[in-house]
Amino acid sequence: MGMPVTPVPYDFIGDVLITPEQIEARVQELGEQITREYQNSDRLLLLGLLRGSVMFMTDLMRHVKRPMTMDFMSVASYSGTESTGFVRIEADHKTSIAGWDVILVDDIVDTGYTLSFVRKLLLDRNPRSLKICALLDKVDRRKVDLPIAYCGFRIPDYFVMGYGLDIDENGRNLPYICSVDLEKYGQRKKR
Ligand code: IMP
Ligand code: MG
């Protein structure tokens, strides 16, 4: 029997696009795939980008049945809403990645500029291997070529929040992924 769900009172929730059950099932599949594909690795590092990847990361790692470590880094795009490719490192990862099999984990790939920048930066640090794992992929918005080894869901070009993803830091705690009602969100900002 499911627990009754208390709705979180954000007044700009659009449509629920991906339910908690769908997320859970897909994250489990990704974890199992990673477990299989890193069967011969004894130096597996999941490296998450703060803060959007946190919920995804902690769920994903529960399904990785291999010895592994976890680290995070925090990066910020310079411009406003649209990322530009000019990325600033706010906090770097703590452990050395040289010789490690690194999986770079993020919440969503939009233009691809952010992950493309971080990927090149990390490759210069000589990991044994580097792959990208993203929960969501807005394929139609891609501006640069980016190899995504593990992708949770492809979604259309909506602005989404929930399950770690935010709009101006709101909505990260929602257990599902939903579109943001931008009209309602705009009215709220004016108040
Ligand atoms: P990119 O550099 O354009 O690929 O932007 C990626 C980053 O933009 C992600 O890590 C997110 O932080 C943010 N982002 C892009 N689209 C969304 C969205 O729909 N909801 C929340 N954050 C988003
Ligand atoms: Mg992000």
Side-chain angles (χ1 to χ4, degrees), residues 49-53 75 77 81-85 87 106-116 136 138 141-144 146 155-162 164-168 170 172 178 180:
L49 292 191
L50 292 174
R51 291 174 289 276
S53 73
V75 300
S77 261
T81 51
E82 181 113 342
S83 96
T84 54
V87 175
D106 203 7
D107 51 0
I108 186 165
V109 186
D110 186 24
T111 62
Y113 283 136
T114 307
L115 277 179
S116 175
L136 304 175
K138 282 192 210 172
R141 299 255 312 161
R142 193 65 30 79
K143 294 275 172 61
V144 285
L146 186 74
I155 60 164
D157 181 16
Y158 296 125
F159 201 89
V160 295
M161 65 177 180
L165 291 106
D166 72 303
I167 179 155
D168 301 334
N170 299 291
R172 294 195 195 272
C178 61
V180 175

Side-chain angles (χ1 to χ4, degrees), residues 45-96:
L45 168 67
L46 299 199
L47 178 53
L49 292 191
L50 292 174
R51 291 174 289 276
S53 73
V54 167
M55 220 185 261
F56 178 37
M57 175 76 124
T58 54
D59 282 347
L60 179 66
M61 66 192 282
R62 269 178 264 237
H63 296 289
V64 175
K65 305 290 174 13
R66 293 291 308 158
M68 58 155 280
T69 61
M70 164 179 65
D71 206 339
F72 289 98
M73 61 193 293
S74 178
V75 300
S77 261
Y78 269 116
S79 82
T81 51
E82 181 113 342
S83 96
T84 54
F86 294 101
V87 175
R88 179 166 45 89
I89 298 177
E90 292 181 329
D92 216 333
H93 56 88
K94 195 175 163 203
T95 46
S96 168

Side-chain angles (χ1 to χ4, degrees), residues 109 115-116 119 130-133 142 144-150:
V109 186
L115 277 179
S116 175
R119 179 174 172 273
L130 178 64
K131 286 192 173 174
I132 290 172
C133 175
R142 193 65 30 79
V144 285
D145 258 340
L146 186 74
I148 304 175
Y150 308 101

